[in-house]
Amino acid sequence: MRTGPWRRIGESLTSSVVTREKRMKRIQKTIAGSLLAVLSGAAFAAAPDTVRVDYYHGGNAEGEMFSLHRVVIEPLPWPGHPGKTVDTLGLGHFLFQVEDPETGEVLFSRGYSSIFQEWQHTGEAREMNRTFHESVRFPRPDRPVRLRVLKRNDPQEFESAWTVNIDVEDMLTVREHAPAPAPLLDIHVSGDPAGKVDIAILGDGYTAEEAGKFESDARRLTDYLFSVEPFKARADDFNVRAISPPATRSGTNRPSNGTFRHSPSGTTYDAFRAERYILAFDNPGMRNILQHVPYEFVFILANSETYGGGGIYRLYSTVAVDSDWANYLFVHEFGHHFAALADEYYTSDAVYEASGERTEPWELNVTALNDPGNLKWKKHVHENTNLPTPWPKAEFEAFQRDNQARRRQLRAEQRPESEMNQLFLDEQAWVNDLFSQHPETNALIGAFEGANYAATGYYRSEMNCLMFTRHDRFCRVC
C-alpha cells in the first residue's frame, strides 16, 4: 500500500473522478428530464381540472329564464388548448363568459347553441312553457368567478341574459363520480388533447353483445369523415375516442312507429315531433358518461337504420348508423355541430315557424343579402357575377313538391326503409342531372336564393353543397 504523498494524491485523483462522474450524471439526468418534458408536453403547466356548470333553461316563445343546478369538477383534466381561452369566432346563438368579478376581465369564453333556442322557434313554444337542462364547461379557475350567459338580440348582437357567481371551492361542488359505464376506445388518436380537436363518440342503443358493432360503426364513420375535405387534410389535428354504455334492448327510441327504448342520454327520434330529427334530451345522463372521455365535440350514434340525425353548434351531432345515408348524415350534421353551418335546404318539412323578418343570419354560409356590396363571402365572388345569381329554382321546386309529398306518404304508411332510401337515391340523381345542365352556374360562387328553410329571402353561396342536398362535398364557402 502506498503511503505519504502518493496516497494523498491518489485520494485527490479519486475524489476528482467521483466528483466529475456525479456532475456528469446530474447533467445527464437534467438533460434527459428536459427532453422528456418537452416530448411529453410536460414543459407546460399541468392541465387544470375541468369544471362543468349545469343549469336549467326554460320559458316559451316570448321569454326565458335560467337557474343554477350544480357545479361539477369532472374526473379528467381540461382537454382544450391552454392558449386559446377566449372565443374569437363570434358564432352561436349564445356566448358564455367566465369573468373576474372584481375587474370584469374575461378569463374564458365560448359560443354555442342549445336545444331550448331551437324549441323556442317551434309552434309548441307559443302554447306552453318547457325547461331543458344544459351545461357549459371550462378550465378550473384559480379564484371565484362570475359566469355570464349572453344571447343574440334582434340585431344579432350578444347581450347579457344571465349571471351567476361560481366558487369551485364551495363544499357543495360535486367532486366524486361513478366509474365509467363502458370501456373507452381509441378510434383515431393523434396526440395530447391540449393540442388537438377532441371528439367523443357516444353509442346509443347498443347491447353488450353489440359492442363489436359499435366499435366497427365508430371506426367506419370516422374513416369516412377523414376522407372528406377539409377534414381529410387536417386528420392529424383530431383525436376521436368512443364509449357506449350497454343497452338492455337494441335500438334507439322512435315513438312515431311504436319503438320505445330507454337511453341514458335520452336520445330519441321525433324531436320536436319531426320524425327524422334525433336529439338527446337527458343532458345530465349524457354528461355523466362523457365526463370519462377527453372531449370538446360529440357524435351520438343511434343504432338504427331509419334515416335521421341532428346537429347543434358545440352541443352534439347525431346520426342513424345503419341508414344507407349514414356517411352523408355524419358529415352534414358535424357541419352544424363543429362549424356552425346553417342548413341550406328549404324544401323539406321544417319544425321551425318561419319569421317575416330577414335579418342577416350569424351563420357564415347563408345570407339575407340585405347589402349585396358587402356579401359575407365577397372575396370569393367574381366581379361580374349577378347577385342574386340565377339558377333553375322553379324547376327544382316543382320536382321537390312531388318528391316531398311522396316522402310524407312513405312515412305515414310506415313503408320499408329501402323504399325511402330509393326515393333519396332517385332524388339526388335528378338534382345532379338538373344542375349538370347549367354548367355556367354550377361551378359559380354567388348568391342563390333558397336557404335556411326559406324559399325566398335567404341565399346560399353555390348551387349545390353537402349542406343543401345529399351531395358528397362541401361548397367552397362552407
Side-chain angles (χ1 to χ4, degrees), residues 120-315:
Q120 198 175 29
H121 290 84
T122 67
E124 186 178 77
R126 304 188 66 83
E127 301 173 357
M128 62 181 294
N129 295 334
R130 285 193 67 180
T131 298
F132 299 87
H133 193 277
E134 300 174 358
S135 301
V136 294
R137 301 165 71 239
F138 49 89
R140 182 174 183 163
D142 59 2
R143 71 201 88 165
V145 294
R146 178 173 57 229
L147 172 64
R148 183 186 303 277
V149 174
L150 303 96
K151 183 180 181 179
R152 290 188 188 272
N153 54 23
D154 289 340
Q156 299 289 29
E157 297 172 345
F158 285 116
E159 61 181 14
S160 184
W162 179 52
T163 60
V164 61
N165 292 326
I166 302 296
D167 183 359
V168 178
E169 301 302 326
D170 187 279
M171 68 177 184
L172 298 182
T173 296
V174 178
R175 293 173 170 83
E176 290 295 323
H177 308 279
L184 183 61
L185 305 175
D186 289 342
I187 303 298
H188 173 96
V189 178
S190 302
D192 188 272
K196 306 296 177 181
V197 178
D198 292 284
I199 298 172
I201 294 181
L202 173 60
D204 181 84
Y206 292 86
T207 64
E209 293 73 22
E210 293 176 305
K213 180 181 186 301
F214 168 70
E215 181 173 355
S216 176
D217 289 341
R219 293 189 184 281
R220 167 174 56 87
L221 291 170
T222 299
D223 287 345
Y224 184 77
L225 176 70
F226 293 129
S227 74
V228 177
E229 294 294 1
F231 305 111
K232 180 178 180 179
R234 303 296 295 271
D236 288 344
D237 292 325
F238 288 81
N239 289 332
V240 182
R241 296 177 171 89
I243 188 169
S244 182
T248 55
R249 297 174 66 194
S250 180
T252 293
N253 197 58
R254 189 180 170 220
S256 57
N257 78 338
T259 301
F260 298 101
R261 297 288 187 271
H262 170 262
S263 167
S265 61
T267 299
T268 181
Y269 283 83
D270 304 302
F272 308 151
R273 302 182 186 277
E275 51 89 10
R276 70 184 182 279
Y277 200 14
I278 303 174
L279 293 180
F281 288 94
D282 190 339
N283 183 64
M286 180 182 74
R287 299 292 177 177
N288 286 341
I289 303 167
L290 292 175
Q291 66 186 355
H292 297 287
V293 188
Y295 78 96
E296 299 165 279
F297 298 90
V298 181
F299 281 121
I300 300 176
L301 305 190
N303 190 20
S304 174
E305 70 166 355
T306 304
Y307 183 96
I312 298 176
Y313 180 52
R314 282 193 174 271
L315 180 57

Side-chain angles (χ1 to χ4, degrees), residues 461-478:
S461 66
E462 289 193 37
M463 212 152 67
N464 207 359
C465 175
L466 199 148
M467 302 307 292
F468 179 57
T469 70
R470 294 174 190 85
H471 199 36
D472 59 0
R473 59 179 174 82
F474 289 104
C475 69
R476 284 160 287 185
V477 168
C478 284

Side-chain angles (χ1 to χ4, degrees), residues 11 59 108 119 163 165 181 193 220 269 272 301 313 332-333 363 415 443 445 458-459:
E11 289 174 346
F108 186 90
W119 174 81
T163 60
N165 292 326
R220 167 174 56 87
Y269 283 83
F272 308 151
L301 305 190
Y313 180 52
H332 174 97
E333 302 300 353
E363 294 92 341
R415 301 295 301 165
I445 299 178
Y458 286 116
Y459 303 79

Side-chain angles (χ1 to χ4, degrees), residues 380-390 441 444-448:
H380 299 293
V381 180
H382 191 276
E383 60 182 359
N384 295 326
T385 301
N386 291 324
L387 301 176
T389 311
T441 52
L444 198 64
I445 299 178
F448 296 81

Side-chain angles (χ1 to χ4, degrees), residues 40-164:
S40 66
F44 300 99
D49 291 332
T50 300
V51 175
R52 190 178 80 239
V53 175
D54 294 340
Y55 61 93
Y56 296 99
H57 189 178
N60 53 42
E62 303 301 323
E64 62 201 283
M65 66 171 292
F66 300 78
S67 58
L68 179 66
H69 174 204
R70 61 185 178 182
V71 179
V72 179
I73 299 177
E74 294 189 341
L76 298 182
W78 178 248
H81 193 292
K84 298 184 178 181
T85 54
V86 176
D87 192 326
T88 59
L89 298 176
L91 301 174
H93 286 285
F94 296 91
L95 173 73
F96 81 87
Q97 296 180 168
V98 179
E99 304 171 348
D100 185 315
E102 295 183 3
T103 66
E105 177 190 2
V106 177
L107 307 174
F108 186 90
S109 64
R110 286 292 183 270
Y112 68 104
S113 294
S114 75
I115 293 179
F116 175 84
Q117 184 277 330
E118 292 208 357
W119 174 81
Q120 198 175 29
H121 290 84
T122 67
E124 186 178 77
R126 304 188 66 83
E127 301 173 357
M128 62 181 294
N129 295 334
R130 285 193 67 180
T131 298
F132 299 87
H133 193 277
E134 300 174 358
S135 301
V136 294
R137 301 165 71 239
F138 49 89
R140 182 174 183 163
D142 59 2
R143 71 201 88 165
V145 294
R146 178 173 57 229
L147 172 64
R148 183 186 303 277
V149 174
L150 303 96
K151 183 180 181 179
R152 290 188 188 272
N153 54 23
D154 289 340
Q156 299 289 29
E157 297 172 345
F158 285 116
E159 61 181 14
S160 184
W162 179 52
T163 60
V164 61

